[in-house]
Amino acid sequence: VMLTATVMLARSSLAGSCRASRKCCDGKDTDCAVQEADLNSIIMDVSDEPCYCDTGCLEMGDCCPDFKEFCGVQDCEVSAWSSWTPCSSSCGPGTSSRARTVTRPES
């Protein structure tokens, strides 16, 4: 007998805590998973889906809700947009641009 279940979860439903588990890891590290049930057991309660406290969770989208705060991860910050440059053409199609800079890189 084979039983297959598919469960769709919103990221906000991940219920683990990096702070409570005292975990912060670099890269993708399965040892940084947080879940109430044993990680090798069958998940009976969908609210116990594992979340992660490693930097790989940023790419995967499965970070624990407190990952950024507890592990000191900061999003980058950018400046305000500059003014538009003058149009490259006085008549007809032309281009204009504006820019902004990174004022604090992500950590």
Side-chain angles (χ1 to χ4, degrees):
V1 174
M2 179 182 264
L3 178 63
T4 304
T6 303
V7 178
M8 301 295 284
L9 293 174
R11 288 186 192 129
S12 61
S13 68
L14 298 174
S17 168
C18 298
R19 182 178 307 282
S21 63
R22 295 185 173 174
K23 292 183 178 183
C24 288
C25 305
D26 290 325
K28 292 182 181 178
D29 187 341
T30 56
D31 289 335
C32 259
V34 177
Q35 182 179 11
E36 287 182 29
D38 181 275
L39 289 174
N40 294 320
S41 67
I42 295 173
I43 299 171
M44 300 301 286
D45 180 359
V46 294
S47 68
D48 193 29
E49 184 76 11
C51 61
Y52 295 85
C53 300
D54 60 14
T55 54
C57 73
L58 296 168
E59 183 179 316
M60 299 300 295
D62 55 2
C63 298
C64 293
D66 65 345
F67 170 69
K68 285 185 176 181
E69 175 193 356
F70 181 70
C71 296
V73 176
Q74 295 181 344
D75 292 328
C76 74
E77 287 184 3
V78 295
S79 66
W81 286 102
S82 66
S83 299
W84 287 99
T85 61
C87 186
S88 63
S89 173
S90 60
C91 182
T95 60
S96 180
S97 63
R98 62 184 185 160
R100 60 183 180 177
T101 58
V102 174
T103 57
R104 185 187 74 210
E106 67 183 358
S107 63

